[in-house]
Structure formats: C-alpha cells, structure tokens
Amino acid sequence: MDGHLIVLLPIAAAWLVAGVVADRLPRLDRARALRRRTGWLLALTLTGLGLTAAVLAVGLTSAGATPVDRAAAGLGLAAVPALAVAVCTVRRLRRLRAGAGAFATAPETPAPHGLRAAGAHPLIGLPVQVTALATMPPVLSAAGLDLAADPRLAGPAVTLGGLAMIGMGVRLALRHSRLAERALPEPTAPSARAARPLHV
C-alpha cells in the first residue's frame, strides 16, 4: 500500500461518513436525536477539516516528495469545497445543534419542521458531500486507478462527477423546500373567518 494512500484514507473516510450523516439529518423527527446527530456531524466535519488542513499545510511548506506531499497534491481539488464547509456549514451546524437542544428536554419531543428544514439546507449537506466526492480521485489514483492518466476515462469521469454534484444540489434544494413549506403556518381560510359568530 502506498504511503500517500495511508494518509488519504482517514481523510476520505471522515468526509464520506460526514456526507452520509448529513444526508440523513433531515429524516430525524425527534429533537434529541437531531441534536445528537448534529453533534456527530459537527465532530466529523471538524475532523475532516483538521486532517485536510494539516495535510495541505505540510504539503505547502515541504518541497520534498514524501507521502504527505503527494497526498496534499491530490487534495487540491477538495480544498475549495472544504473551505465552503468551514465558512458556511460549521456555523449552521452549531446553530442547528443549539436550536435542537432547546427542544430536547424530553426524549420523545418532536423536532419542529423548521429545525428539520434547517438540517436539510443545501449549505449543510452539499459542501460536505462535494468534499467527500472530491476526495475520491486522489484515493483512486493512490490505489492504482488513475482516471486522469487515460483520456478515454478522464472525460466521462469528470462528466459523471459534475452530474453527481448537480444531482445532489437539486435533491437537497427540493427536500429543503418541501420541509420549509411544512414549517410555514397554515393560512386561515376566509370562509372560516366569515363563519365565526359576531360578538357585540
């Protein structure tokens, strides 16, 4: 096993698990479970960010050809979505965890639709899942499957990656919109207001 594959595997694993947890976050209908799972996701994203930043920092300061240098070169693609996670996702996760904590006094307290909509926001799930997707090419390359080396594979791989990101974004946006609609208060029908008795 190549040295830089050993460096890349924990990073890719952290981001992949974070992507799965982020995808399942809006399905939780209990406030305590939502708070607990948000804490897991926050820990996973901070771990992924820490590992990614550490490898990139070592790669930038070192001029050698060590396994960490080669891993850092492969992680260049994941740097941009990881930055989006650090800027957007972490702050939203902290707010979501605090909001769920306010309702989590009892184990079976339902999670409000507003909190579930916040958990489904594309700025939580999409940057994490795109970062996880961006860690796959360097892992595959380190494992011996270099898609960029063969022009016949590079084009379809880039196309599939782009379509996967678009599909994830559309799916997350639709789910967030559906949950946000449920969180809106139901309008009072005019007929119901007219049917009320008058009091003088």
Side-chain angles (χ1 to χ4, degrees):
M1 183 181 291
D2 289 341
H4 63 302
L5 180 59
I6 298 174
V7 177
L8 288 169
L9 280 178
I11 299 173
W15 286 116
L16 285 172
V17 175
V20 172
V21 174
D23 186 67
R24 296 180 178 177
L25 200 63
R27 301 178 187 178
L28 302 173
D29 58 355
R30 294 292 179 263
R32 180 171 289 186
L34 182 61
R35 182 179 184 273
R36 183 174 62 249
R37 199 69 60 86
T38 304
W40 293 357
L41 181 55
L42 186 59
L44 286 166
T45 53
L46 291 176
T47 301
L49 285 171
L51 292 173
T52 305
V55 171
L56 290 174
V58 171
L60 289 174
T61 57
S62 174
T66 64
V68 177
D69 294 325
R70 286 185 287 168
L75 285 177
L77 185 64
V80 174
L83 181 62
V85 172
V87 172
C88 303
T89 305
V90 171
R91 178 174 56 88
R92 287 182 176 275
L93 285 175
R94 286 176 175 163
R95 287 167 50 189
L96 178 60
R97 188 167 187 267
F103 293 92
T105 53
E108 297 301 319
T109 303
H113 290 300
L115 282 178
R116 295 179 63 195
H121 198 283
L123 286 179
I124 287 182
L126 189 59
V128 174
Q129 293 175 358
V130 170
T131 307
L133 186 64
T135 61
M136 288 297 98
V139 170
L140 293 175
S141 177
L145 183 60
D146 193 357
L147 299 178
D150 189 349
R152 294 173 300 177
L153 295 177
V158 171
T159 303
L160 287 175
L163 290 175
M165 286 189 287
I166 293 172
M168 287 187 296
V170 170
R171 177 174 173 270
L172 291 170
L174 290 175
R175 185 166 61 177
H176 171 67
S177 177
R178 185 175 68 249
L179 289 171
E181 287 179 1
R182 292 180 186 176
L184 294 175
E186 294 184 3
T188 305
S191 58
R193 288 199 303 266
R196 290 177 184 169
L198 295 176
H199 297 280
V200 181

